[in-house]
């Protein structure tokens, strides 16, 4: 099997994503080479950092045009998921525009610290192969200050002072707001489900 | 952590070896720990950066988040640790010496990657309790008060972009007499980002009390887990039974 392409966008969590894939027996290639990304059976867009920075880096390597044209399964993780949408309020940044909607800042409130950092429960919204073996109430690990409201493409939500999109799918594009690479057995299952897509 | 091994002290002194990093990391992962924090306690006093090799080994092993603390003085230091697979970096003494470091880290990596560790000592000189931030606490010979008020420092680091605060209450550390609920409640009142209690866990009830009384987002424990006094599955079952939401 050829390697999963992890888009190297200068963010933080690429190593942990690669290690998570290795634990599943999948080979991973860290790259921003358009040709290798186009040829990979699966593409992961990770993301730690700020939206504006991340979009600038994607634009520099021409990936802002390449990614929306990919036809294999693509998974955006955390900021990588938010980049799939039209825009982010973080730095008023236009994003890849594959999904409709814009990430907005989570409002802080008493008893609800922002960033949302920690384990929280998944609420399935509609059937999806990404949810195979994952039950309502399973915990995943979240670290984010911005979020997407649930929409027509949402597969699962999470509640943190209000619901937000935890898993999204539209065609071959998928995204998770949490960090599957750090979500223990639930995260490993999500990644395995993603790798099973399109095969 | 010191020289590749996990150590634990009492009130930040007299550290003894409790095990190998990777073995302990795997043990806590399998026991259901929600997050691990690795403190390289000799990094700041010795003026060196945490070594990177073990970070990648830990990242390969763990499927839960982990944070690395110890001698991170620059964006470059943090980049190396995050690039090796850590979720977060925690800064303590270097942030006291150069508070702007917090702003730079937050700007580069986002607030969610930036934990500020605060080592705080209760001052018993006045009528109302006051709390003072200490620095270089990894080495008893170099540890000293900074004359910074703990609550003011907690406000400042949030304004500078800290995404999480770990408050180590030094007078209760390692003695297993319970978390410092008064100090943690005072910190909670001024802390809008996740607040993690550290120092003093001894029995199951201490964990319940710190969540229920002080409203912290997480509780960090070392001694009771390293010594096996409390097992994580038992602790989680107990907390769930007390109506506290925990990942099973």
């Amino acid at each position: 099997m050829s390697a999963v392409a992890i888009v190297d966008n200068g963010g933080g969590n690429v190593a942990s994503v690669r290690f998570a894939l290795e634990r599943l027996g999948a080979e991973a290639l860290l790259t921003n080479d358009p040709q290798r990304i186009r040829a990979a059976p699966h593409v992961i867009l990770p993301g730690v950092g700020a939206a504006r920075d991340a979009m600038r880096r994607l634009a520099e390597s021409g990936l802002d045009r390449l990614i929306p044209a990919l036809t294999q399964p693509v998974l955006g993780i955390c900021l990588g998921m938010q980049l799939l949408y039209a825009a982010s309020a973080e730095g008023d940044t236009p994003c890849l525009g594959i999904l409709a909607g814009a990430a907005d800042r989570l409002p802080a409130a008493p008893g609800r610290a922002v960033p949302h950092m920690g384990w929280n429960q998944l609420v399935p919204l509609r059937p999806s192969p990404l949810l195979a073996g994952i039950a309502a109430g399973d915990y995943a690990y979240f670290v984010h200050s911005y979020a997407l409201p649930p929409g027509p493409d949402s597969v699962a939500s999470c509640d943190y002072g209000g619901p937000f999109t935890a898993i999204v799918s539209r065609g071959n594009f998928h995204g998770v707001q949490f960090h599957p690479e750090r979500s223990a057995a639930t995260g490993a299952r999500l990644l395995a489900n993603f790798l099973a897509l399109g095969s | 952590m010191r020289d590749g091994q996990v150590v634990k002290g009492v009130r930040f002194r007299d550290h003894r070896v409790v095990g190998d990093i990777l073995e302990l990391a795997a043990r806590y992962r399998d026991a259901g720990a929600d997050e691990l924090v690795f403190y390289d306690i000799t990094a700041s006093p010795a003026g060196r950066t945490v070594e990177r090799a073990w970070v990648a080994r830990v990242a390969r092993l763990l499927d839960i988040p982990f944070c690395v603390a110890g001698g991170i003085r620059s964006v470059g230091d943090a980049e190396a640790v995050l690039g090796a697979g850590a979720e977060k970096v925690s800064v303590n003494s270097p942030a006291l010496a150069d508070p702007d470091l917090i702003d730079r880290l937050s700007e580069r990596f986002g607030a969610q990657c930036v934990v500020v560790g605060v080592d705080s000592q209760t001052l018993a000189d006045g009528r109302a309790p006051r709390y003072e931030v200490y620095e270089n606490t990894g080495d008893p010979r170099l540890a000293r008060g900074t004359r910074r008020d703990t609550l003011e420092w907690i406000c400042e680091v949030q304004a500078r972009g800290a995404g999480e605060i770990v408050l180590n209450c030094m007078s209760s550390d390692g003695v297993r007499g319970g978390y410092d609920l008064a100090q943690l409640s005072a910190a909670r009142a001024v802390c809008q980002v996740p607040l993690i209690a550290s120092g003093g866990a001894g029995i199951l009830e201490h964990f319940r009390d710190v969540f229920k009384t002080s409203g912290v987002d997480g509780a960090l424990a070392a001694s009771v887990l390293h010594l096996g006094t409390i097992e994580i599955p038992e602790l989680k079952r107990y907390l769930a039974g007390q109506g506290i939401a925990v990942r099973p």
Side-chain angles (χ1 to χ4, degrees), chain A residues 150-169:
Chain A
D153 299 322
S154 302
V155 165
S157 66
C158 174
D159 191 77
Y160 191 64
F164 66 87
T165 296
I167 305 177
V168 67
S169 283

Side-chain angles (χ1 to χ4, degrees), chain A residues 4-88:
Chain A
V4 178
I6 302 175
V7 177
D8 182 4
N9 201 29
N13 66 333
V14 287
S16 49
V17 172
R18 192 179 80 224
F19 295 148
L21 293 171
E22 286 173 6
R23 287 194 293 271
L24 291 169
E27 210 184 308
L29 173 76
L30 190 58
T31 179
N32 62 1
D33 175 354
Q35 241 174 332
R36 291 184 158 202
I37 291 172
R38 210 179 284 119
H42 294 83
V43 175
I44 291 182
L45 179 61
V48 164
R52 178 164 288 275
D53 224 33
M55 281 308 298
R56 183 179 51 76
R57 286 165 196 263
L58 286 179
E60 278 168 9
S61 43
L63 297 179
D64 59 333
R65 290 185 308 278
L66 175 87
I67 292 171
L70 292 173
T71 53
Q72 67 272 56
V74 176
L75 178 68
I77 295 177
C78 196
L79 174 65
M81 173 191 115
Q82 297 181 5
L83 296 181
L84 300 178
Y85 284 84
S88 171

Side-chain angles (χ1 to χ4, degrees), chain B:
Chain B
M1 318 233 336
R2 191 172 61 196
D3 306 326
Q5 290 190 296
V6 180
V7 296
K8 182 69 189 99
V10 173
R11 290 196 176 100
F12 287 55
R13 288 173 178 268
D14 304 326
H15 292 91
R16 63 182 201 84
V17 171
V18 294
D20 170 78
I21 297 172
L22 296 179
E23 276 172 32
L24 271 179
R27 192 179 107 198
Y28 290 136
R29 172 200 64 195
D30 295 341
D34 292 319
E35 180 164 343
L36 295 179
V37 185
F38 296 84
Y39 289 95
D40 189 344
I41 59 167
T42 47
S44 260
R48 63 178 170 82
T49 302
V50 47
E51 284 167 41
R52 199 174 155 183
W54 66 264
V55 179
R57 287 200 292 273
V58 166
R60 209 176 282 272
L61 195 66
L62 287 183
D63 59 2
I64 55 169
F66 71 101
C67 174
V68 173
I72 291 162
R73 286 185 186 72
S74 67
V75 167
D77 294 341
E79 194 155 34
V81 166
L82 295 171
E87 258 56 54
K88 310 174 187 174
V89 291
S90 179
V91 290
N92 189 329
S93 300
L96 289 162
D98 171 20
D100 190 56
L101 174 64
I102 301 165
D103 304 66
R104 296 197 302 273
L105 291 173
S106 189
E107 204 165 298
R108 173 66 182 86
F109 305 108
Q112 75 287 340
C113 283
V114 184
V115 180
V116 174
V118 180
D119 294 328
S120 174
Q121 190 73 264
T122 306
L123 302 178
D125 52 353
R127 277 180 308 176
R130 290 195 303 121
Y131 309 106
E132 183 186 4
V133 181
Y134 268 58
E135 64 181 347
N136 288 328
T137 51
D139 184 339
R141 289 164 304 178
L142 295 175
R144 60 179 191 93
T146 61
R147 298 179 180 271
R148 280 182 191 271
D149 178 84
T150 299
L151 300 180
E152 284 172 16
W153 179 236
I154 287 174
C155 292
E156 180 178 342
V157 303
Q158 289 176 88
R160 288 180 176 279
E164 178 175 296
I165 291 169
V166 176
L167 181 58
N168 311 303
C169 302
M170 296 174 67
S171 22
S172 49
D173 181 75
V175 294
R176 288 175 269 154
Y179 291 97
D180 186 339
L181 301 180
Q183 183 172 181
L184 287 158
S185 298
R188 174 79 288 173
V190 299
C191 184
Q192 283 86 49
V193 300
L195 175 66
I196 311 300
S198 170
I203 54 174
L204 298 175
E205 288 77 4
H206 292 156
F207 290 87
R208 175 198 62 194
D209 295 345
V210 77
F211 285 114
K212 289 211 164 172
T213 306
S214 301
V216 296
D217 298 283
L220 186 151
S223 300
V224 288
L225 303 177
H226 292 335
L227 301 175
T229 320
I230 291 179
E231 298 292 342
I232 294 170
E234 169 200 19
L235 171 60
K236 290 193 157 190
R237 277 194 300 274
Y238 168 79
L239 290 176
Q242 296 290 316
I244 295 164
V246 286
R247 181 177 72 111

